[in-house]
């Protein structure tokens, strides 16, 4: 089969399985109430955040112009790193051009051939790809199963170990049992790498994340990663940990070393968003209030953060629910296999701090209709 024929066969297979994906421009057509995006605190269009991004681009230019180790480290990077570390309670931080790069970096640079990487079955694709990149043995354990983690850490032959989790999972929206997992890691000399992408700005005191909430953010063997593209409304990623971890990543993480530094506008906007969250912790309370209203309408338990997951009978039913909701003015997302870790089709909804009571009432009415 030639290349064109192969592409056609692949497309037909996707179509038959109900798994074809399309890119839809969201800035055209009808404005819908957004319950699909990850701008949890509504800061992407906040004038203070936009002004901070504009000020950064005016001062530092459109791009960082080089990789961080060449001449692409700008004072806005350092300022953002200090602010992120201070906010989350970690001793130091290193920013990346995406959260994907942050996850690729931390695993590939910290695992070697004498390391066992233990990964929760539901971690984000970036951590799965990070495992593929690392020259280490990888064991996937059942979701949130502390006993399974303990069993593999205890039985390992490798000297070192890393455990990969998310503190709030991106698809199911549930929280990890962080404290028992941290205790098991400590008992068996493993480093805990926790992705706080869906917790920063949303969970923990004033949105400081769940590691900070558990008093674990200053621990030498605990590392957090996060994206700057969800509650922080910008673009980019961060690794939070000890200064020694930061130095190691600067020297060894290929997705950091061979990548142009984070764009100034993104760094400035993320810094602006962080300042808003610090000044207005009530935004964090509001997003949690909104997620409880949406959960009630969908007849599912209130989530740990802003992500709600509603199981659907089939990929087709999930797509139909998305279309019906859109026809009623509400944008919801859906995940279909293979994007769902447990192979089920799901609606994925996100709560937002800037939605008004009227917005929430409309959302609840529509969700009652389309949720099973
Ligand atoms: C849990 C998790 N980690 C990492 C990422 C990647 O972050 P970014 O979009 O900044 O590359 C995402 C984003 O989609 C995510 O949900």
């Amino acid at each position: 089969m030639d290349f064109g024929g192969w592409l056609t066969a692949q497309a037909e297979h996707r179509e038959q399985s109900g798994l074809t994906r399309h890119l839809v421009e969201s800035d055209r057509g009808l404005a819908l109430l957004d319950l699909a995006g990850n701008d949890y605190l509504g800061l992407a269009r906040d004038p203070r955040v936009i002004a901070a991004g504009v000020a950064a681009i005016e001062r530092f230019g459109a791009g960082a112009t080089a990789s961080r180790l060449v001449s692409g480290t700008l004072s806005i990077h350092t300022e953002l790193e200090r602010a992120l570390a201070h906010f989350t309670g970690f001793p130091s931080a290193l920013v990346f051009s995406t959260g994907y790069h942050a996850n690729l970096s931390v695993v590939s640079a910290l695992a070697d051939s004498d390391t066992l990487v233990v990964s929760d079955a539901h971690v984000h694709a970036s951590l799965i790809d990070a495992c593929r990149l690392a020259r280490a043995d990888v064991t996937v354990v059942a979701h949130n199963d502390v006993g399974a983690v303990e069993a593999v850490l205890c039985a390992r032959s490798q000297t070192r170990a890393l455990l990969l989790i998310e503190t709030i999972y991106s698809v199911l929206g549930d929280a990890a049992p962080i404290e028992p997992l941290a205790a098991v890691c400590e008992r068996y000399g493993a480093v805990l790498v926790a992705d706080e992408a869906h917790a920063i700005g949303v969970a923990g005191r004033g949105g400081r994340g769940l590691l900070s909430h558990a008093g674990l953010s200053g621990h030498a063997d605990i590392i957090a990663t996060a994206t700057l593209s969800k509650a922080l409304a910008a673009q980019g990623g961060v690794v939070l940990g000890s200064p020694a971890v930061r130095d190691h990543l600067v020297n060894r993480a290929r997705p950091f070393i061979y990548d142009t530094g984070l764009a100034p506008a993104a760094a400035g906007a993320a810094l602006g968003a962080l300042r808003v969250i610090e000044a207005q912790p009530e935004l964090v309370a509001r997003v949690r209030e909104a997620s409880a209203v949406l959960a009630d309408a969908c007849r599912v338990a209130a989530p740990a953060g802003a992500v709600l997951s509603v199981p659907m009978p089939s990929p087709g039913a999930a797509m139909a629910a998305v279309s019906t909701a859109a026809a009623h003015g509400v944008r919801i997302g859906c995940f279909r296999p293979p994007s769902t870790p447990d192979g089920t089709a799901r609606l994925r909804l996100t709560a937002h701090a800037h939605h008004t009571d009227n917005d929430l009432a409309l959302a609840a009415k529509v969700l009652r209709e389309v949720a099973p």
Side-chain angles (χ1 to χ4, degrees):
M1 189 187 295
D2 65 7
F3 181 49
W6 180 82
L7 287 174
T8 305
Q10 292 283 310
E12 281 168 3
H13 178 67
R14 282 195 298 273
E15 198 57 38
Q16 280 155 14
S17 319
L19 296 176
T20 302
R21 293 169 162 83
H22 298 286
L23 297 174
V24 179
E25 292 175 351
S26 63
D27 59 347
R28 292 183 197 236
L30 284 179
L32 301 178
L33 179 68
D34 185 25
L35 300 183
N38 299 315
D39 179 20
Y40 300 137
L41 303 181
L43 297 180
R45 291 190 169 270
D46 185 291
R48 295 163 291 182
V49 176
I50 292 172
V54 170
I57 205 169
E58 280 175 353
R59 176 159 175 219
F60 298 100
T65 74
S67 64
R68 292 280 303 270
L69 279 170
V70 178
S71 56
T73 293
L74 307 171
S75 56
I76 191 103
H77 295 139
T78 315
E79 198 185 341
L80 175 60
E81 286 166 352
R82 287 210 183 102
L84 285 164
H86 180 260
F87 181 69
T88 54
F90 277 88
S92 72
L94 184 66
V95 294
F96 296 76
S97 57
T98 68
Y100 214 108
H101 283 73
N103 280 343
L104 291 183
S105 291
V106 82
V107 182
S108 62
L110 294 176
D112 60 20
S113 58
D114 192 22
T115 305
L116 175 66
V117 179
V118 182
S119 174
D120 185 282
H122 288 195
V123 294
H124 188 257
S126 52
L127 285 169
I128 296 172
D129 290 353
C131 290
R132 293 176 178 151
L133 207 55
R135 296 198 174 99
D137 301 317
V138 179
T139 299
V140 177
V141 289
H143 181 50
N144 278 349
D145 187 338
V146 181
V149 171
E150 176 156 24
V152 294
L153 287 180
C154 171
R156 78 178 190 266
S157 56
Q158 301 83 349
T159 312
R160 301 175 53 245
L162 298 183
L163 172 64
L164 312 183
I165 64 165
E166 290 177 39
T167 55
I168 293 181
Y169 282 87
S170 51
V171 178
L172 298 196
D174 55 336
I178 299 170
E179 288 167 62
L181 288 172
V184 165
C185 284
E186 189 173 8
R187 195 169 318 133
Y188 295 98
V191 172
L192 176 63
V193 176
D195 184 335
E196 294 241 65
H198 298 275
I200 295 293
V202 173
R205 190 176 61 84
R208 284 168 174 74
L210 289 180
L211 292 175
S212 161
H213 186 74
L216 293 169
S217 47
H219 196 293
D221 292 342
I222 294 184
I223 296 170
T225 66
T227 174
L228 310 180
S229 66
K230 301 193 192 299
L232 291 173
Q235 185 95 32
V238 61
V239 175
L240 297 144
S242 66
V245 165
R246 185 180 188 278
D247 283 350
H248 185 83
L249 296 178
V250 166
N251 284 279
R252 299 300 303 276
R254 291 166 63 85
F256 176 82
I257 296 169
Y258 297 102
D259 188 40
T260 298
L262 178 63
L271 198 50
L274 204 53
R275 301 287 182 235
V276 173
I277 299 170
E278 281 174 325
Q280 283 184 260
E282 65 273 17
L283 288 174
V284 181
R286 173 67 182 171
V287 76
R288 303 298 299 282
E289 201 184 310
S291 58
V293 170
L294 302 182
D296 183 58
C298 295
R299 297 170 283 273
V300 297
V307 178
L308 280 97
S309 176
V310 183
M312 296 298 282
S314 67
M319 289 303 289
V322 170
S323 303
T324 307
H328 290 88
V330 175
R331 176 180 295 119
I332 58 177
C334 76
F335 277 141
R336 292 166 288 160
S339 300
T340 48
D342 59 358
T344 58
R346 290 169 173 273
L347 300 181
R348 181 179 185 275
L349 316 175
T350 51
H352 301 262
H354 59 300
H355 286 167
T356 64
D357 289 346
N358 281 347
D359 291 337
L360 278 178
L362 168 67
K365 183 167 172 282
V366 172
L367 291 173
R368 272 193 208 98
E369 196 176 312
V370 301

